[in-house]
Amino acid sequence: MVTAKTWVLKKYFEGFPKHSNFELKEEEVPDPKDGEVLLEAVYLSVDPYMRPYSKLWMKEGDVMIGFQIGRILKSKNSKFPEGSFVEANIGWRTHSISDGKNLKLMLPDWPSNIPRSLGLGIIGMLGLTAYFGLQEICQPKAGETLLVNAAAGAVGSAVGQIGKI
C-alpha cells in the first residue's frame, strides 16, 4: 500500500487562484488487482481550461482535474509493463490505481534528449490540436496571411509557430 497526496479544490476560484483554493490531502492507495496498475505522477498539468471547467465538472472537495505523465510502479495488466510511462487524465494526485482504460502508453523508446513533460504540451494534446486544426481545418495555402486571434494561449501560440513553417 502507498500513501498518495491529492490536491483538492477547496473553494471555487474568484479572481486569481490562491493557496486557499486548494487543500493537500493524503489517502491510502491499495495494491493493484488483476488488470490494474499502480502509477506515480512524474508531471502534472496546469492548464487554462481548468478554471472554467472546475465549476462545470467538479464540486468543492473533489481532486483537482488535470492530465499527468505517470510511471507504472506495479502492474497486473500486460498492456502496461512496470517502468513504462503513460499519459493519464486522473487529476492532481501523486499515486493512483487504474484499469488502463484512462491511460495512453507513451513510446517505450522515448528519445532521451526530449523531456517527457512535453507529452503534456507541444507533443501532446495541445500540439496535435494546433497542428491538425491548422492543417486539416484551415488548410492554409502559400501566400495567404495567417491570423490567430487567441495566440496568447497554448494552442494558439503553437498554431502561430506551425504556421511559420
Side-chain angles (χ1 to χ4, degrees):
M1 193 167 297
V2 161
T3 300
K5 293 180 181 176
T6 61
W7 287 264
V8 171
L9 179 67
K10 187 174 178 182
K11 187 174 187 314
Y12 290 120
F13 307 114
E14 291 179 24
F16 286 106
K18 301 176 278 304
H19 289 284
S20 60
N21 293 117
F22 304 99
E23 183 177 0
L24 183 61
K25 292 187 172 184
E26 291 187 350
E27 64 184 23
E28 294 299 314
V29 177
D31 287 330
K33 299 175 189 163
D34 286 341
E36 295 181 334
V37 298
L38 169 65
L39 71 127
E40 177 181 47
V42 179
Y43 300 103
L44 300 176
S45 68
V46 179
D47 297 302
Y49 79 87
M50 294 172 165
R51 184 184 187 90
Y53 283 100
S54 64
K55 279 193 174 177
L56 293 173
W57 296 344
M58 299 176 64
K59 56 187 179 303
E60 291 175 347
D62 286 350
V63 173
M64 189 63 194
I65 58 175
F67 285 84
Q68 66 172 252
I69 301 295
R71 178 184 7 255
I72 304 296
L73 296 180
K74 293 182 184 177
S75 179
K76 292 189 177 181
N77 183 326
S78 60
K79 295 179 184 175
F80 300 98
E82 289 181 12
S84 60
F85 289 85
V86 295
E87 180 183 320
N89 186 9
I90 54 177
W92 290 2
R93 56 181 74 239
T94 59
H95 297 82
S96 56
I97 294 289
S98 172
D99 61 6
K101 292 179 184 168
N102 61 342
L103 304 181
K104 179 181 165 195
L105 195 59
M106 296 181 79
L107 295 172
D109 57 347
W110 188 274
S112 61
N113 62 334
I114 297 177
R116 288 187 195 276
S117 61
L118 292 180
L120 295 174
I122 196 67
I123 299 177
M125 178 177 56
L126 82 86
L128 294 172
T129 301
Y131 181 81
F132 288 105
L134 178 62
Q135 297 300 320
E136 292 188 7
I137 305 299
C138 295
Q139 299 179 351
K141 296 176 184 39
E144 291 182 334
T145 300
L146 176 64
L147 173 66
V148 182
N149 68 353
V155 173
S157 64
V159 168
Q161 294 174 46
I162 293 167
K164 292 178 80 174
I165 297 175

